[in-house]
Amino acid sequence: MLELNIVTHKKYEGINITSEVVKFIAESNVKNGICYLLVPHTTAGITINEGADPKVLEDIVGAVDSIIPTRYEFKHWGGNSPSHLKSSLFGTTLTILVRDRKPVLGEWQAIIFLEFDGPRKRKAIIELLPVILKH
Amino acid sequence: MLELNIVTHKKYEGINITSEVVKFIAESNVKNGICYLLVPHTTAGITINEGADPKVLEDIVGAVDSIIPTRYEFKHWGGNSPSHLKSSLFGTTLTILVRDRKPVLGEWQAIIFLEFDGPRKRKAIIELLPVILKH
Amino acid sequence: MLELNIVTHKKYEGINITSEVVKFIAESNVKNGICYLLVPHTTAGITINEGADPKVLEDIVGAVDSIIPTRYEFKHWGGNSPSHLKSSLFGTTLTILVRDRKPVLGEWQAIIFLEFDGPRKRKAIIELLPVILKH
């Protein structure tokens, strides 16, 4: 199990962590199976989206923020309920197939850590689960 | 496989089911693997978020409801299309890592059943999948 | 591993692919385990929702489009940032339990491919992972 340290620099930010995941899988003994990712936070998330143009990630975290109502009367004392909501809308877990020591993703897909309450020191937990194939 | 019965009391509600999941895992023979959860409904969901302050859950289901357009001309006869949309935005499945008979979650994370069309009698299906580890 | 070809006919569309998934599982050698689905695109998604009334799917893709801000100043050159955002809100992966060569789903649940930037030729990758059960 890898605990990946992630330092975020903005309040809202999408950070491409694909290369770290690819490296972790390549250096493991797991040829085929599942790569499981957990963001152990309640105001951050994880998703798959385009990694080529970083502006896509800026658009995603920016546009979703423009949707979340600021006039809604949030009850949670922390003042960060919109960040909690975003975390649950995008999700904090990801399951990715591993074939021949590589993650199975589309040509344009990348694994993105989503910060909704930064800047902060964050973590992503990455685990590889070998699965016996008998097709 | 466990079919957990959940009784909801409001139209929109987040219910912390972490202790039930922890108990199911602790009493099983699966030390390491995956805990899979399915909410077998199309107007409810499941997510991971903060369990400490119940107001976070009220904020999540309340704020998302204030986002869903009421002026959009929904076509589905049931009148509950906004509930279907919320179900798909949050998701109805969850995969959680199990290590030493415990779910792997962040310090503040809890497993939350999301009701979007209550009050009702609901279910959550919980299954444990042992995975052979050979790291 | 199955690469399912999907042809979409509208800009926004929900397509029920449950029967294809059921067929793939039924014809496999995997009796119990996990069925994993990946939509290898960054402007499409996959979800579980009602399959009985197709109007539910029209409502989902239509209503979410009415939420996404059109006045937000998107920076990505492609002009399809709202489609990227939708892809991440709904997600591009799905994990479904398999028992006795059938997917475990609720009575009203179906597996839905979500098009957010069509019409196009799309794909869904479907894989079966047998899991040794030792309860």
Side-chain angles (χ1 to χ4, degrees):
Chain A
M1 202 189 300
L2 172 70
E3 274 203 14
L4 183 68
N5 292 303
I6 297 166
V7 180
T8 63
H9 295 95
K10 299 178 189 171
K11 180 151 192 196
Y12 311 129
E13 196 176 357
I15 296 174
N16 189 337
I17 61 167
T18 312
S19 61
E20 285 86 345
V21 176
V22 167
K23 189 167 172 273
F24 179 61
I25 297 172
E27 289 173 354
S28 79
N29 289 320
V30 177
K31 200 182 165 196
N32 294 305
I34 284 172
C35 178
Y36 176 82
L37 294 105
L38 169 74
V39 164
H41 309 288
T42 56
T43 55
I46 195 157
T47 193
I48 293 171
N49 216 298
E50 194 195 299
D53 179 7
K55 288 198 196 314
V56 172
L57 308 184
E58 287 180 46
D59 282 349
I60 286 173
V61 295
V64 84
D65 188 60
S66 78
I67 294 172
I68 303 298
T70 49
R71 287 172 301 177
Y72 181 80
E73 204 177 314
F74 290 105
K75 295 166 187 168
H76 175 49
W77 59 271
N80 60 353
S81 280
S83 309
H84 286 290
L85 173 55
K86 291 173 195 172
S87 175
S88 276
L89 285 173
F90 289 96
T92 54
T93 69
L94 211 54
T95 302
I96 293 170
L97 218 54
V98 175
R99 282 287 169 271
D100 292 322
R101 293 199 169 80
K102 284 177 210 151
V104 176
L105 290 169
E107 186 187 352
W108 294 95
Q109 287 184 318
I111 302 161
I112 310 295
F113 177 91
L114 295 167
E115 173 63 85
F116 297 123
D117 199 17
R120 289 224 204 165
K121 285 184 183 168
R122 297 289 202 174
K123 277 187 198 303
I125 290 168
I126 313 176
E127 181 58 299
L128 279 167
L129 304 171
V131 174
I132 292 162
L133 298 177
K134 46 173 185 178
H135 296 232
Chain B
M1 202 187 304
L2 171 71
E3 274 203 14
L4 184 68
N5 291 304
I6 298 166
V7 179
T8 63
H9 295 94
K10 299 179 188 172
K11 180 152 192 195
Y12 311 129
E13 196 176 357
I15 295 174
N16 190 336
I17 60 168
T18 313
S19 62
E20 285 87 344
V21 176
V22 166
K23 187 167 173 276
F24 179 61
I25 296 172
E27 289 172 355
S28 79
N29 289 319
V30 177
K31 199 181 166 196
N32 295 304
I34 284 172
C35 177
Y36 176 81
L37 294 106
L38 169 74
V39 164
H41 309 289
T42 57
T43 56
I46 195 158
T47 192
I48 294 172
N49 216 296
E50 195 194 296
D53 180 6
K55 290 198 194 314
V56 171
L57 308 183
E58 287 181 45
D59 282 350
I60 286 173
V61 296
V64 82
D65 188 61
S66 77
I67 295 172
I68 302 299
T70 50
R71 287 171 299 178
Y72 182 78
E73 204 177 313
F74 291 104
K75 295 166 188 170
H76 176 49
W77 60 271
N80 59 354
S81 280
S83 310
H84 286 290
L85 173 55
K86 291 173 195 172
S87 176
S88 277
L89 285 174
F90 289 95
T92 54
T93 68
L94 210 53
T95 303
I96 292 170
L97 217 55
V98 176
R99 283 288 169 273
D100 293 322
R101 293 198 171 80
K102 285 179 210 149
V104 177
L105 290 169
E107 187 187 350
W108 295 96
Q109 288 184 317
I111 302 162
I112 311 294
F113 177 91
L114 295 166
E115 172 64 84
F116 297 123
D117 199 16
R120 289 223 207 168
K121 286 183 184 171
R122 298 289 205 174
K123 279 187 196 303
I125 291 168
I126 313 177
E127 180 59 298
L128 280 167
L129 304 170
V131 174
I132 291 161
L133 298 176
K134 50 174 184 177
H135 297 232
Chain C
M1 202 188 303
L2 171 71
E3 274 202 14
L4 183 69
N5 291 304
I6 298 166
V7 179
T8 64
H9 296 94
K10 300 179 187 171
K11 182 153 190 194
Y12 311 129
E13 196 176 357
I15 296 173
N16 190 337
I17 60 168
T18 312
S19 62
E20 285 87 344
V21 176
V22 166
K23 187 166 174 274
F24 179 61
I25 296 173
E27 290 173 355
S28 79
N29 290 318
V30 176
K31 198 183 166 196
N32 294 305
I34 284 172
C35 177
Y36 177 82
L37 294 105
L38 169 74
V39 164
H41 308 288
T42 56
T43 56
I46 193 157
T47 193
I48 293 171
N49 216 296
E50 196 195 296
D53 179 6
K55 290 200 195 312
V56 171
L57 308 183
E58 287 180 46
D59 282 349
I60 286 173
V61 297
V64 82
D65 189 60
S66 78
I67 294 172
I68 302 298
T70 49
R71 287 171 300 178
Y72 181 80
E73 202 178 313
F74 290 105
K75 295 165 187 169
H76 175 50
W77 59 271
N80 60 354
S81 280
S83 310
H84 286 290
L85 172 56
K86 290 172 195 172
S87 175
S88 277
L89 285 174
F90 289 95
T92 54
T93 69
L94 211 53
T95 303
I96 292 171
L97 218 53
V98 176
R99 283 286 169 274
D100 292 322
R101 290 197 172 83
K102 285 177 209 149
V104 177
L105 290 170
E107 188 187 349
W108 295 95
Q109 288 184 318
I111 301 162
I112 311 295
F113 177 91
L114 295 167
E115 174 63 86
F116 297 123
D117 198 18
R120 290 222 205 168
K121 286 184 183 167
R122 298 290 205 173
K123 276 186 199 301
I125 291 168
I126 312 176
E127 180 58 301
L128 279 167
L129 304 171
V131 174
I132 293 162
L133 296 177
K134 48 172 185 178
H135 297 232

